Structures are given as C-alpha cells and as structure tokens.
Amino acid sequence: METVTAIPLFDAIRSRRTNLRIDQTQDITPSVVSELIELATWAPNHHLTEPWRFAVVTGGARSTLGAVTAEFQGSQGETNEAKLDKTRGKFLRAPAIVLVGCASTENARPDQLLEDRDACAAAVQNLLLGATALGLNSYWGSGMVCSAPAVRSLCGFQDDTTIIAAIYLGYPLGEVPVPARRTPIVTWVNE
C-alpha cells in the first residue's frame, strides 16, 4: 500500500473544501482509492445494513460515464448541445470518479430507508475527509449522473440502488483558499 502522510482529523475537517482544481494527468493509485472506500464503510449505520455501494470509474470509462449521462439528460428534454457537450466531458476533470450508491433494504420501513441513505451520506463524508487528509482534492457531484438508469448499469448496481454521489478525486493544482464558514446556529436546551 502507498505510504502517505495524513493530517490530524480536525485540520482535515476545517480545511475540507469542494474543489475541482485537480491535476488531470496524475493518476491516483487503486490502493489509495481502496483505502478511502474502506474508510467510508466505517460510517455509522443504525441497522447494520451496510447499504453503501461503490463504483470507481477511471480511464476511458469516464468518457462512457459522460456519454450515458448526456444521453439521459437529452431524454429528459435537454436540447442545448453546449450543455450536453459539457456533460460528456465533465468526468474527465479528475482521474478517478467514485460513484456512491445506496442499496434498498428488502422490506425496510420508511424510517430505515432514510437511515440507510443517511449512513451512505456519512460514508461519503468519511471518504471526502479521508481524501483531504491524504492531500487530495475532491468534489461531491450529483444531478443527472445520479438519476440515469444507464449509470446504475455501468456501475453494476442493482436497479433498486439510488446513486447519491459522484465524487471527483485527484491531486491538487496549487493551493485553494478555504472558504469562510458562517457561525453555527445552535440552540442549547438545559431545562
């Protein structure tokens, strides 16, 4: 496994930023992506259903991902060729795209389905924080890529799996300022 220098957790959280300033020429080794996915699976999961599913898209498959997403976008009424071209090329912005799906639990109650989706979102956050700690840039994308049935098929996901994230991963191109955060809105209840 590749040796990397990690930063402390609180620093990773505070420096976490959405960023697509990614070096498209520097690949990420499969061992680093595997480590991030393993970290994702340590997310809290109330019913221990482990609903998360992952597909790693690299190389030429990124163009295929863009093509099937643009085709779906067109089927939903998009006719602007510039927007469709942008969709076709958007997944080439990073050397690795990790698609995260949430598998449905058979006979689950509605509250369990929500908890499973929450667990998958927590898994995504673990992956994003791990990427930051390893010095990678990352971006949580969604939209048409999450809705296209052909993307589920490309990923090898079951038909009842809901894609919740397309995570772009790569090495940074220069420094990016950390955005300012608002003061948290907190209500303290003591009695």
Side-chain angles (χ1 to χ4, degrees):
M1 190 170 281
E2 186 174 324
T3 303
V4 293
T5 303
I7 61 175
L9 177 62
F10 277 28
D11 291 340
I13 293 170
R14 289 184 183 116
S15 66
R16 164 86 194 104
R17 59 212 174 265
T18 297
N19 189 317
L20 276 171
R21 289 184 40 97
I22 292 174
D23 183 349
Q24 299 170 14
T25 65
Q26 188 176 358
D27 289 336
I28 300 173
T29 62
S31 64
V32 168
V33 177
S34 294
E35 184 176 6
L36 291 172
I37 290 171
E38 192 271 334
L39 180 66
T41 66
W42 284 95
N45 179 220
H46 184 199
H47 294 284
L48 303 178
T49 57
E50 298 184 1
W52 37 73
R53 303 293 182 266
F54 303 93
V56 182
V57 182
T58 60
R62 295 171 301 151
S63 291
T64 304
L65 179 61
V68 298
T69 303
E71 184 177 326
F72 178 72
Q73 189 176 9
S75 77
Q76 299 301 298
E78 182 59 66
T79 59
N80 183 321
E81 198 56 40
K83 287 184 179 180
L84 294 170
D85 280 344
K86 181 178 179 182
T87 298
R88 287 182 193 102
K90 74 189 315 179
F91 302 106
L92 299 174
R93 297 183 284 186
I97 309 293
V98 179
L99 290 137
V100 182
C102 180
S104 294
T105 303
E106 193 173 333
N107 300 319
R109 296 185 322 261
D111 61 314
Q112 289 173 312
L113 294 174
L114 290 173
E115 288 174 353
D116 282 347
R117 186 174 174 101
D118 293 346
C120 289
V124 169
Q125 177 71 345
N126 280 4
L127 195 153
L128 295 171
L129 289 173
T132 298
L134 296 178
L136 298 172
N137 279 2
S138 58
Y139 178 86
W140 181 341
S142 57
M144 289 287 174
V145 69
C146 294
S147 302
V151 171
R152 253 192 326 271
S153 178
L154 177 69
C155 293
F157 293 158
Q158 302 273 333
D159 287 342
D160 62 353
T161 298
T162 302
I163 298 174
I164 66 163
I167 302 170
Y168 298 72
L169 289 174
Y171 291 95
L173 281 175
E175 288 295 315
V176 176
V178 176
R181 295 287 185 204
R182 295 184 303 176
T183 303
I185 299 169
V186 179
T187 302
W188 291 82
V189 181
N190 295 326
E191 296 177 28

